[in-house]
Amino acid sequence: MINAAIAMNRFGLGARPTGTVPADPADWLKSQISKYEPVFPGMASQPSRATIAAGFREYQLDRTDFRAARKDAATAMAADDTPQIDPSKIEKVVNTLRVQYVAAADARMDAAISSDNDFAERLVHFWSNHFAVSIDKLPVLALAGDYEFTAIRPHIMGKFSDLLFAAVTHPAMLLYLDQAQSIGPNSPLATRVAARRNKELGLNENLAREILELHTLGVRTVYDQKDVTEFARALTGYTVGGMAKGPIQRVMAQNGRDGDSQFFAGIHEPGDRVVIGRRYSQQGEAQARAILSDIATHPATAKHIATKLAQHFAADVPAPALVARLEKSFLESGGDLARLCRTLIDSPEMWMAKQAKFKSPWDWVISSLRALNVRELPNSRQSVNLLAQLGQPIWKPGSPAGFSDTSENWAGGAALMRRVEIASRLAERSANRVDARTLAPRILSGQLSTMTTESIARAESPSQGLALMLLSPEFLRR
């Protein structure tokens, strides 16, 4: 029974009271790899990128008009000359983008609490956080859901190189890390602008740096600043139709597909590149693809990915043997993620009885809703509000590094008090249909301590018993 609980709570997103306990937990997990389907019902109702881009462009135009009106008003000679621009127009467009974000966040949570393929669902969340974007930037607000649904989900069981390319060239990533505005200093467009306006257009290194530092090789490994700059030059050309700025915006307005990532040769920096000791003579998009392909299977990347995967699933400080085994699997398979998952499942370190991982707010909320057999959210914004209260707002990490995966960031006193408040609210809603005394042994089979069992039995009310279960050491960890 303990292995079944580990499969459902450590690999998956939490047990359900009505779920079938797998007779062979390892085979049950492996079956999720082979039958994984990246599409889920909630995706069909999401807006297209073109629709999102149109909304953002309307915001940009309204903001430009408003700024111009304020400037004119400041120099107007009489009140009758003062232009009238309603700032509420801008807020209305922003609210539309927020509504699209909330709908995507709700769809994400609906998929997580209803999925029977929850090992795969956990992997979606892991990789989405690994390749983190943030809605802190308005252009990303309505694109974050599309990013996870179309760039991350389809590739979690394929090759890491395909996942890498899909993630870093998605419009949300290009806009988040300012790649959409990056222009090769010697590109055709930059040359024309320099000749006409005596103005240099600049290179942006943000995306190149984060790919090397966070997404692939790891911090302070085999690359240096020169590699970052050369890689940034190779990446020039990737932009987003209808959502870029400056000279690119004007050119893409005529040639771009609104909301889509595109490679525009007119802003690509010409010439060979040398990155991590290897020369790349390809030109245009082929150059960036070649570099991405090589770093995707680099030994440093294998170690970095193996360490992060082990840290997420096993322990904050994972066993070196587990990391080494995953690293070897990654290298031997050329970054085959399905094989990497099977190696994780077959690793004895993953089946230790000790619950070494403290649940993040997302993990805890999802596992709580699954334990209480909540199949859908009661209203819109529920997912957004819950996670914001707990300090892990959906698709809004504090940096490109994503949310922390270690307990020190989630187990503080203030954070636990917020969980107490939410556990009480969730328990009150479910107390009339669920008894914690019978639910806890099923959800935490083989892991439930005598102390927790007795605490639940002595609860003053059904809702208090459920809250105690959700806040028990066994439920807070996985």
Side-chain angles (χ1 to χ4, degrees):
M1 296 299 287
I2 183 67
N3 278 3
I6 288 171
M8 291 185 286
N9 297 314
R10 185 174 299 164
F11 286 89
L13 297 174
R16 290 202 201 92
T18 56
T20 302
V21 177
D24 189 324
D27 282 352
W28 176 69
L29 291 170
K30 289 178 182 178
S31 72
Q32 295 189 39
I33 299 172
S34 58
K35 70 180 184 182
Y36 173 65
E37 291 290 341
V39 178
F40 65 97
M43 288 175 62
S45 61
Q46 300 305 305
S48 68
R49 293 179 197 167
T51 299
I52 294 169
F56 180 71
R57 189 166 58 254
E58 183 180 351
Y59 160 80
Q60 287 180 310
L61 292 171
D62 287 344
R63 189 177 65 168
T64 299
D65 289 345
F66 182 68
R67 286 177 173 175
R70 288 185 63 184
K71 183 178 179 180
D72 291 344
T75 58
M77 298 302 294
D80 290 344
D81 297 329
T82 304
Q84 299 297 314
I85 298 293
D86 185 0
S88 65
K89 285 181 62 182
I90 299 175
E91 187 60 28
K92 182 179 179 180
V93 176
V94 173
N95 283 339
T96 298
L97 297 175
R98 289 191 184 119
V99 167
Q100 292 168 344
Y101 157 67
V102 170
D106 283 347
R108 181 197 213 224
M109 184 171 278
D110 283 342
I113 61 180
S114 63
S115 177
D116 294 320
N117 206 16
D118 49 312
F119 172 44
E121 203 68 26
R122 173 176 288 283
L123 287 165
V124 170
H125 307 154
F126 168 79
W127 287 116
S128 183
N129 190 58
H130 176 78
F131 293 103
V133 299
S134 176
I135 62 164
D136 266 334
K137 285 196 173 180
L138 189 62
V140 182
L141 183 62
L143 281 168
D146 183 88
Y147 171 70
E148 182 172 294
F149 302 157
T150 66
I152 303 297
R153 296 187 73 93
H155 300 287
I156 64 163
M157 297 300 179
K159 287 285 189 178
F160 177 74
S161 56
D162 294 333
L163 173 59
L164 172 66
F165 185 79
V168 302
T169 61
H170 186 277
M173 183 68 78
L174 297 179
L175 292 164
Y176 175 49
L177 293 178
D178 304 311
Q179 182 64 37
Q181 276 71 249
S182 185
I183 300 175
N186 300 299
S187 65
L189 179 61
T191 302
R192 289 200 302 272
V193 170
R196 292 176 185 174
R197 305 182 191 174
N198 195 28
K199 177 183 178 181
E200 292 186 2
L201 299 180
L203 184 71
N204 192 294
E205 297 182 353
N206 289 351
L207 180 60
R209 179 174 290 103
E210 305 307 358
I211 290 174
L212 298 178
E213 182 176 301
L214 301 176
H215 302 155
T216 58
L217 304 171
V219 182
R220 293 186 293 277
T221 51
V222 297
Y223 65 92
D224 58 22
Q225 177 55 41
K226 185 177 179 181
D227 294 315
V228 173
T229 302
E230 283 292 278
F231 188 23
R233 288 171 177 154
L235 288 169
T236 52
Y238 287 109
T239 188
V240 183
M243 299 182 76
K245 298 178 182 178
I248 301 177
Q249 182 183 43
R250 289 187 289 274
V251 173
M252 297 306 288
Q254 300 172 353
N255 304 293
R257 299 184 302 273
D258 284 359
D260 280 349
S261 297
Q262 293 174 249
F263 187 88
F264 175 45
I267 60 173
H268 178 69
E269 179 72 3
D272 292 0
R273 307 267 82 84
V274 176
V275 179
I276 316 176
R278 182 166 184 173
R279 178 171 294 277
Y280 295 88
S281 300
Q282 301 91 338
Q283 298 302 304
E285 186 177 13
Q287 188 176 75
R289 282 182 172 272
I291 298 172
L292 285 167
S293 179
D294 284 347
I295 62 174
T297 55
H298 194 284
T301 298
K303 184 173 183 178
H304 181 57
I305 297 302
T307 301
K308 286 198 69 173
L309 202 64
Q311 185 180 67
H312 177 81
F313 279 92
D316 290 357
V317 182
L322 173 60
V323 174
R325 193 178 301 112
L326 292 171
E327 183 180 351
K328 181 181 178 183
S329 175
F330 188 101
L331 285 172
E332 289 181 347
S333 66
D336 186 313
L337 298 179
R339 176 171 165 179
L340 197 64
C341 290
R342 293 186 180 93
T343 301
L344 186 74
I345 295 167
D346 288 335
S347 296
E349 296 87 353
M350 287 301 305
W351 300 94
M352 300 291 185
K354 181 181 178 181
Q355 293 175 289
K357 290 295 297 183
F358 190 85
K359 291 179 181 177
S360 70
W362 172 260
D363 276 338
W364 181 75
V365 167
I366 296 302
S367 59
S368 296
L369 293 172
R370 289 171 68 93
L372 298 174
N373 208 28
V374 175
R375 288 287 178 164
E376 60 183 17
L377 299 170
N379 54 64
S380 181
R381 293 198 66 88
Q382 186 80 12
S383 58
V384 170
N385 292 339
L386 274 177
L387 273 299
Q389 289 174 50
L390 290 167
Q392 193 181 16
I394 297 173
W395 299 315
K396 194 180 178 181
S399 78
F403 290 108
S404 171
D405 218 353
T406 57
S407 61
E408 63 185 2
N409 291 277
W410 306 120
L416 288 176
M417 284 305 299
R418 288 193 289 270
R419 295 196 191 195
V420 170
E421 296 168 8
I422 290 174
S424 298
R425 297 208 306 264
L426 294 175
E428 286 173 4
R429 292 176 185 170
S430 301
N432 63 342
R433 60 180 179 80
V434 183
D435 188 331
R437 291 170 297 182
T438 56
L439 178 63
R442 184 167 182 82
I443 296 298
L444 299 166
S445 177
Q447 297 174 317
L448 194 63
S449 69
T450 301
M451 182 179 296
T452 297
T453 301
E454 292 176 352
S455 296
I456 292 172
R458 292 197 299 267
E460 296 179 357
S461 65
S463 63
Q464 186 185 65
L466 283 175
L468 287 170
M469 183 196 80
L470 298 179
L471 296 166
S472 67
E474 302 93 314
F475 195 88
L476 288 170
R477 306 188 78 89
R478 58 178 179 86

